[in-house]
Every structure is written in C-alpha cells, then in structure tokens.
Amino acid sequence: MPVMQQLIDCLDLTASLKATGFIDPTNFEAIYDELVTTGCNPTLVNEIEGRVRKYFECLVLPSESTLYDRLILSMRETDLIATFNWDPFLPLAYARNAHIQRLPQLAFLHGNVEIAVCLKDRVTGFRWQQCHKCGESLQPTKLLYPVKHKDYNTDPFIANEWKRLEWFLDRAYMLTVFGYGAPSTDVEAVELMSNAWKNNPRFELGQVNIVDIRPKRQLEKTWQPFFCRNHYGTLKNLRGTWLFRYPRRSCEALAFATLQQAPWKTNRIPRFKSLAKLHKWIEPLIAEENAGQFTGLPCPMV
Ligand SMILES: [Zn+2]
C-alpha cells in the first residue's frame, strides 16, 4: 500500500501537477490542501479524486490470511475499528470472516471505496449491494481528503461515523492506535478523539496502546493527551498488543491482570497462512462466547 507521500507516483499524477505549476509535486496532502483551499483548479481536483477512487477500488486481498483478518478476528461485536483508510482491505476482510461469528463494528471516518450508503434509509453496505429497504443500489460514500480544515459534519454518512467513534471513546476500556501518526493536517480529528476519550468515566482505569515505529519519546509527546499516568504502552507492531496477545478477550485479560491481580496466560493469535486454520484456532473462543462463559485459557494449537 502506498503511504500518502507515495500516492502521487502511484496515481501517475506527477505530469498533471507539474503542468499546473507544482515544481516539486511530492507532498500529496499539502498539494491537495492548496488546490482545495484556493479553489484554483477544480478540474485537477476532480482528476485527482477520480484517480484515487479508481486506484483503491481495484485493490484486493491475497487469498492467504492477512493482518486485516487477524485484526478483525481479534475483536468482538462489542468493539469498534475506526479507520481513516480509503482502501477496501478492512471491508473485504470483514466480508470473508463474517460467517465465523458476529464481528467488530467498523467506522469509516474518511469514507471508503468499498462502502456504500442509502442516505434516505440510513442503510450502509458494500458497494455491490442494494438497500434492503428501498431496493435501490447503494451509493458510494464520499471520500474525505487530507485538508487542514476537514468538514466532518456536512456529509451525513461521515458525521454518523464520527458520532459512533465518539460513542465508543466515551465508553471504551481499551484504546489501540495502529498505523495512524496523528499528522498535523488532522489537528481537529485528534482533538475530537481526545475530548471523547477524556470524558470517558473509565479513563482512570483504561489502557492505551500506540503501535508505531517512531521513537517512544516522540509518540509520548504526540499522544500525551490520551494517557492517564502510566496506563499506556508504545509498541513497534501489533504482535505485542493486548489485542493480539489476548484475541477477543483484551479487556477481560486487562481486568484480570490489573483489577484481580491474576493475569491470564498469553494466547497470542497465530500467523497462519491459511484462513481456515485461523478460524479453526479461534473456535474454542467462539464456543465460550456462545456459552456465555470465559475461561481465560489459551487455545490449543491446531
Ligand atoms: Zn434505501
């Protein structure tokens, strides 16, 4: 996947941008922000938006299991994954794991190429689906681009996604940030999130995990507003998070370790290539959920 800085090359936009007068067209966010803020070239803005959508719509997941599958399977329906990503990987992973158990909820804070909506009936789904109320084709969600002053309120779909994230941040016991660096173009977004998290009555007990390859000191500076005393950890990858050490049980494991002083044995989600094998491995956890009884015992190897 390209990161923002690589996007201009991936979308083959260098020539168009140079022709418009950008001498060094490398910073997608800054260029897009300038084009939109000044309103000087709506044709180019349309061209960029069209290419972004086309590029991301073509992406598919490999057949073997991916990080997206492990991420989705590491949570339950009481959890929320909120993403800024436009790419279809998370929705595609959702679709191919949905038969296993009820999955975590998803919120698309900047829209998503795979997700579509019927605004009139407040129905969301995949872009190939019809609205189950009116029968009409669902319409693509608006993609929100990286400008300094983002408008999260005008588009009803995006406004609703933010409301859902705030609802969860007001109540959650654990917050994991992964692949999101809180860039300076996102000041308002980060403020919205930190206000909701700080209003959470569980703020004093909850745990924050930041997964990022940047130096610890830099991460502590960026995410300080989210931390209560030392109730946080910074990690280089997801393997060490509560989510992946105690899949589907992160909050229960945290409660047993900190409130009960009786930590559970680690039950790290394996990196099986085969998705079927991964499904087999989590079967005991799903059986516990269906029986309404959690043991905290690790899953046997399959
Ligand atoms: Zn409808």
Side-chain angles (χ1 to χ4, degrees):
M1 278 298 302
V3 295
M4 274 294 171
Q5 281 88 342
Q6 300 161 333
L7 208 53
I8 289 173
D9 265 350
C10 277
L11 302 178
D12 215 6
L13 278 166
T14 313
S16 300
L17 290 171
K18 277 195 171 155
T20 319
F22 289 98
I23 297 154
D24 176 30
T26 47
N27 189 339
F28 179 80
E29 288 174 285
I31 290 173
Y32 187 84
D33 185 54
E34 190 183 323
L35 283 170
V36 172
T37 318
T38 58
C40 63
N41 197 334
T43 321
L44 183 57
V45 171
N46 276 339
E47 185 188 339
I48 294 175
E49 292 183 357
R51 284 199 198 190
V52 165
R53 191 176 284 278
K54 216 166 138 193
Y55 178 84
F56 283 94
E57 275 180 359
C58 292
L59 299 172
V60 289
L61 284 173
S63 56
E64 63 258 33
S65 92
T66 66
L67 189 68
Y68 292 92
D69 299 293
R70 293 197 290 282
L71 190 64
I72 280 197
L73 292 172
S74 71
M75 285 178 248
R76 303 203 305 268
E77 60 174 314
T78 44
D79 302 314
L80 175 81
I81 305 178
T83 177
F84 288 98
N85 292 2
W86 300 319
D87 68 68
F89 296 144
L90 198 60
L92 293 177
Y94 185 98
R96 73 183 187 182
N97 288 288
H99 61 288
I100 291 301
Q101 176 71 316
R102 292 183 73 96
L103 298 178
Q105 300 177 46
L106 306 179
F108 300 96
L109 306 172
H110 284 176
N112 187 282
V113 295
E114 195 64 24
I115 299 300
V117 64
C118 172
L119 288 176
K120 158 168 73 72
D121 294 319
R122 299 180 65 83
V123 168
T124 53
F126 295 99
R127 63 186 161 109
W128 43 268
Q129 284 178 319
Q130 271 108 33
C131 171
H132 61 78
K133 287 190 178 159
C134 68
E136 280 173 37
S137 294
L138 296 177
Q139 294 305 305
T141 53
K142 188 178 154 61
L143 300 182
L144 213 61
Y145 285 79
V147 290
K148 280 197 195 82
H149 299 289
K150 285 190 205 71
D151 178 3
Y152 292 126
N153 299 313
T154 306
D155 181 74
F157 171 79
I158 288 184
N160 189 56
E161 299 300 270
W162 277 93
K163 277 213 191 80
R164 291 171 58 224
L165 172 61
E166 285 178 86
W167 191 93
F168 272 85
L169 286 172
D170 268 343
R171 289 160 180 81
Y173 182 42
M174 188 177 291
L175 170 67
T176 304
V177 179
F178 167 55
Y180 177 63
S184 54
T185 42
D186 276 356
V187 183
E188 285 153 74
V190 175
E191 215 173 272
L192 263 172
M193 291 188 273
S194 80
N195 287 341
W197 178 245
K198 274 191 282 191
N199 286 333
N200 183 331
R202 288 158 205 83
F203 180 73
E204 286 274 322
L205 299 169
Q207 177 79 14
V208 181
N209 308 283
I210 310 292
V211 185
D212 196 313
I213 53 169
R214 285 183 296 165
K216 188 179 165 74
R217 211 172 286 171
Q218 208 177 324
L219 298 176
E220 284 171 337
K221 207 173 149 201
T222 307
W223 294 101
Q224 193 56 48
F226 288 79
F227 297 157
C228 173
R229 298 187 296 278
N230 59 347
H231 297 187
Y232 68 91
T234 60
L235 301 119
K236 300 262 183 245
N237 64 57
L238 273 170
R239 260 182 76 73
T241 58
W242 288 86
L243 282 179
F244 275 28
R245 280 186 296 137
Y246 303 98
R248 312 183 71 76
R249 301 290 185 272
S250 54
C251 292
E252 289 79 6
L254 174 66
F256 268 83
T258 57
L259 305 175
Q260 304 286 345
Q261 303 286 307
W264 285 357
K265 274 198 179 132
T266 301
N267 186 34
R268 206 184 300 276
I269 191 164
R271 292 178 61 169
F272 294 128
K273 257 197 162 170
S274 148
L275 194 55
K277 218 169 160 185
L278 185 58
H279 289 164
K280 186 91 194 136
W281 183 83
I282 65 161
E283 260 176 19
L285 297 176
I286 287 170
E288 284 185 6
E289 288 157 26
N290 293 337
Q293 214 164 26
F294 295 172
T295 61
L297 294 174
C299 302
M301 255 305 154
V302 290

